[in-house]
Amino acid sequence: MKFIDTCGVLLFINRRDMLRPHYNLGNKPAESCVAKNEKQFCIPMPALGEAVYKVHEKCGDNADEVLEELNRLIRTNFLRVRFINNPSKTFQIAKQLSSEMKDDRDSISPMDALILATAITEQDCYALYTTDTKLILDTRVQDVISDSRDELGFQPMHVYDIDDILRS
């Protein structure tokens, strides 16, 4: 299973998202933005909640249209909502990520930590796609993912830049 974080969902559902020009996505629907072999993504429940909140916060009069696109992508199974599979372990990992991954320049937000922890504790998850370079590049994050997946007896999982799945 491939998971996607909030920023990726917003790229897919909001055709006016500020990152769309950066990725050369224009006004295309989500299915036309991704490589042909990328037909389905899992959206962790925390990312779904955060996406709905951000749509209402940033889209103003356009919010209903953006939320309808979110509903369409869920109905067509392009996005599959995933609930927190192992709450105790998920929250433990999220706490570790948000409290230990702080430095003088950046930290992982509690919401990003919960989204990542939800993916980590999903046995069949092998990838999380994001625009967040902290999650992609921080070796401490990679160590937590590796250690947690090993402890759970799961196959490896990696965090990738969403650009890896987008069509240019």
Side-chain angles (χ1 to χ4, degrees):
M1 283 191 269
K2 299 172 300 257
F3 276 57
I4 192 160
D5 78 347
T6 307
C7 289
V9 172
L10 292 172
L11 267 175
F12 288 156
I13 66 173
N14 184 4
R15 296 188 189 176
R16 297 177 190 166
D17 188 277
M18 68 180 193
L19 289 178
R20 272 184 168 247
H22 173 76
Y23 292 106
N24 297 314
L25 298 180
N27 198 29
K28 298 184 285 190
E31 298 89 344
S32 299
C33 294
V34 297
K36 288 184 182 187
N37 61 336
E38 305 292 344
K39 299 195 185 309
Q40 188 176 74
F41 299 90
C42 293
I43 174 173
M45 183 56 83
L48 177 62
E50 185 179 32
V52 169
Y53 172 80
K54 288 189 177 204
V55 165
H56 283 287
E57 180 182 60
K58 298 180 178 199
C59 293
D61 294 340
N62 191 38
D64 288 343
E65 177 185 327
V66 174
L67 291 174
E68 180 51 41
E69 179 65 1
L70 175 62
N71 287 333
R72 184 186 73 77
L73 293 177
I74 292 170
R75 277 193 315 271
T76 61
N77 284 323
F78 182 84
L79 293 176
R80 290 182 53 216
V81 178
R82 299 299 295 184
F83 291 91
I84 293 173
N85 188 30
N86 180 341
S88 178
K89 187 65 175 170
T90 300
F91 296 136
Q92 175 191 350
I93 294 169
K95 182 179 178 185
Q96 179 183 3
L97 286 164
S98 62
S99 64
E100 293 181 14
M101 305 300 154
K102 292 182 181 179
D103 59 36
D104 58 345
R105 291 176 294 156
D106 201 7
S107 63
I108 297 175
S109 74
M111 187 59 72
D112 286 344
L114 185 56
I115 291 166
L116 179 54
T118 303
I120 290 169
T121 58
E122 181 68 48
Q123 183 172 1
D124 295 331
C125 178
Y126 59 86
L128 172 69
Y129 291 95
T130 183
T131 60
D132 190 332
T133 55
K134 178 87 171 174
L135 298 181
I136 298 165
L137 300 175
D138 192 319
T139 57
R140 297 172 301 172
V141 172
Q142 296 166 18
D143 289 344
V144 170
I145 293 169
S146 179
D147 292 347
S148 298
R149 300 279 297 180
D150 285 347
E151 181 182 318
L152 291 164
F154 296 168
Q155 294 294 314
M157 182 198 119
H158 302 282
V159 179
Y160 298 104
D161 190 311
I162 197 163
D163 198 36
D164 293 351
I165 57 166
L166 297 177
R167 246 187 231 177
S168 40

